Amino acid sequence: MDLVFATNNAHKLEEIRAMLHGKINILSLSDIGCQVDIPETADTLEGNAQIKAEYIFNTYGVDCFADDTGLEVDALNGAPGVRSARYAGEQHDSLANRKKLLADMSGKPNRSARFRTVVVLIMKGNKYMFDGTVNGQITETERGVQGFGYDSIFMPSGYTQTFAELSLEQKNKISHRANAIKKLVHFLTSNSI
């Protein structure tokens, strides 16, 4: 089965393909000739994932899924949330985002946070939604070199390492995206749509 993942993020694509172990052939936007940076204009993760999936389905007529992920920090009233990729500005600069978040967390004793991913799948015109969450803490400093985004400052609950210190294989067993994708894969493999 071919399924388009509506993302231009090579890191996300690599993670998803690693999680699926070849069970489903995941095509990228470039594989279908889409060079558009689909705008994420919704106020929710669910809304942004839906915008991206609908754009690909309506424009290219292919079964697809899209995700949106946010880091929700309790001491910042859920920020950066839906604006996680643009927290420090529209340039999507991960280093600037991490620096801003660490500065905003300075002196805050409550470091509780969660990553949340929402996946919207469109198959044969039907829409399905899956979500995944992982709870954890924001560290005081950056640690590790694996991963991307906020991985070097997020330590999942029950671990003493950040996502950036864990191997991709370890991260893919517990991450927010892994939790959402597991639900997607279960749905795809247990339903004859």
Side-chain angles (χ1 to χ4, degrees), residues 68-189:
D68 199 22
T69 295
L71 175 63
E72 301 169 344
V73 181
D74 291 343
L76 302 177
N77 298 316
V82 73
R83 297 214 25 96
S84 292
R86 299 169 300 283
Y87 191 51
E90 291 302 317
Q91 68 277 15
H92 294 239
D93 183 328
S94 293
L95 178 59
N97 289 337
R98 291 191 303 273
K99 284 184 176 183
K100 176 173 173 38
L101 184 65
L102 288 176
D104 290 350
M105 288 297 291
S106 180
K108 296 195 186 314
N110 179 3
R111 311 222 31 116
S112 298
R114 76 207 46 77
F115 267 119
R116 199 164 67 84
T117 292
V118 175
V119 172
V120 171
L121 167 70
I122 302 180
M123 286 192 77
K124 299 178 183 169
N126 296 312
K127 209 174 297 173
Y128 308 91
M129 193 174 295
F130 310 92
D131 67 339
T133 302
V134 64
N135 293 308
Q137 303 281 321
I138 301 300
T139 56
E140 299 276 346
T141 59
E142 292 199 45
R143 297 180 2 210
V145 296
Q146 305 293 326
F148 62 99
Y150 295 94
D151 285 357
S152 63
I153 61 172
F154 182 83
M155 184 170 54
S157 297
Y159 288 77
T160 57
Q161 297 170 297
T162 67
F163 270 166
E165 293 174 301
L166 297 174
S167 70
L168 181 60
E169 183 181 17
Q170 290 172 303
K171 179 186 172 188
N172 282 347
K173 288 181 181 173
I174 62 167
S175 80
H176 46 294
R177 190 167 294 109
N179 291 331
I181 295 300
K182 283 175 194 167
K183 293 175 185 177
L184 170 69
V185 170
H186 176 74
F187 176 81
L188 291 170
T189 56

